[in-house]
Amino acid sequence: RTAEIDNLITTHPLSQRLRSDPEWTESRPHLQMPPIMQQHSLTASTLRGDTKIPVPPLMFTKGNQGEEMIAISYLGADLCGHVGIVHGGLLATMLDEGLARCSFAALPSKVGVTARLEVDFKRPTRSEVFVVLKARTERAEGRKAWVRGRVEVLEMPGWGKVDESAGVGVGKREMSPYEERGEVLVEAKGLYVEPKWAKVRRP
């Protein structure tokens, strides 16, 4: 099942679209972490598991200043607060990490910490669901970056009910992947600050 989930994520039409666009760069940041850091990471280790987050999020970033970031994940059955409903704290954690990663490219030393995070829960998030996290750096000034993002249901052909209208741009202008909106579950905005120790931090 884990292999099936991974295949569905990597071959999803959104993944293929972003992969074919030279403006976007594909990565899996959790797999690039040093083993000692990965071992002690909440999102890369503690929350990993066949019934939790079975595969690392597949991430795409646009631009060299952190303009936009899109990450696709699957949330399993054992990440709940109420039965069948994903814990809100997990969604806040995902958004905090996603918005932070989006901000890094806009900061001088490419690293930042959370100074403020506001989360607005729009509707319950069912477990055993594919989601897409979308983030955009709206402004950057010196050691500060302001980022906005959201988590949406990612309709998965062949996996439950598919809403063919979800994520489809409306109007004459073709919308960017960030601007397209599916079923929004959670929205957030945050301020990320480069810590003073970042300049002396070893790579």
Side-chain angles (χ1 to χ4, degrees), residues 6 9-10 26-31 43-44 48 53-60 69-75 94 97-98 101 131-133:
D6 189 49
I9 288 175
T10 57
E26 179 178 356
S27 67
R28 271 195 157 132
H30 287 171
L31 298 183
T43 52
R48 285 285 304 280
I53 301 177
V55 298
L58 181 63
M59 184 176 295
F60 295 87
M69 187 276 290
I70 291 178
I72 301 174
S73 303
Y74 176 81
L75 305 179
M94 290 177 59
E97 182 167 292
R101 288 192 181 278
V131 296
V132 56
L133 189 156

Side-chain angles (χ1 to χ4, degrees), residues 46-120:
T46 308
L47 294 173
R48 285 285 304 280
D50 291 343
T51 57
K52 299 177 184 178
I53 301 177
V55 298
L58 181 63
M59 184 176 295
F60 295 87
T61 53
K62 180 181 179 182
N64 56 14
Q65 292 297 316
E67 285 94 339
E68 295 178 5
M69 187 276 290
I70 291 178
I72 301 174
S73 303
Y74 176 81
L75 305 179
D78 292 344
L79 297 172
C80 298
H82 300 284
V83 176
I85 304 295
V86 175
H87 197 294
L90 172 73
L91 297 169
T93 297
M94 290 177 59
L95 280 160
D96 185 28
E97 182 167 292
L99 270 59
R101 288 192 181 278
C102 187
S103 77
F104 289 170
L107 297 173
S109 295
K110 311 305 179 188
V111 64
V113 296
T114 310
R116 182 172 65 249
L117 180 69
E118 299 178 30
V119 181
D120 186 5

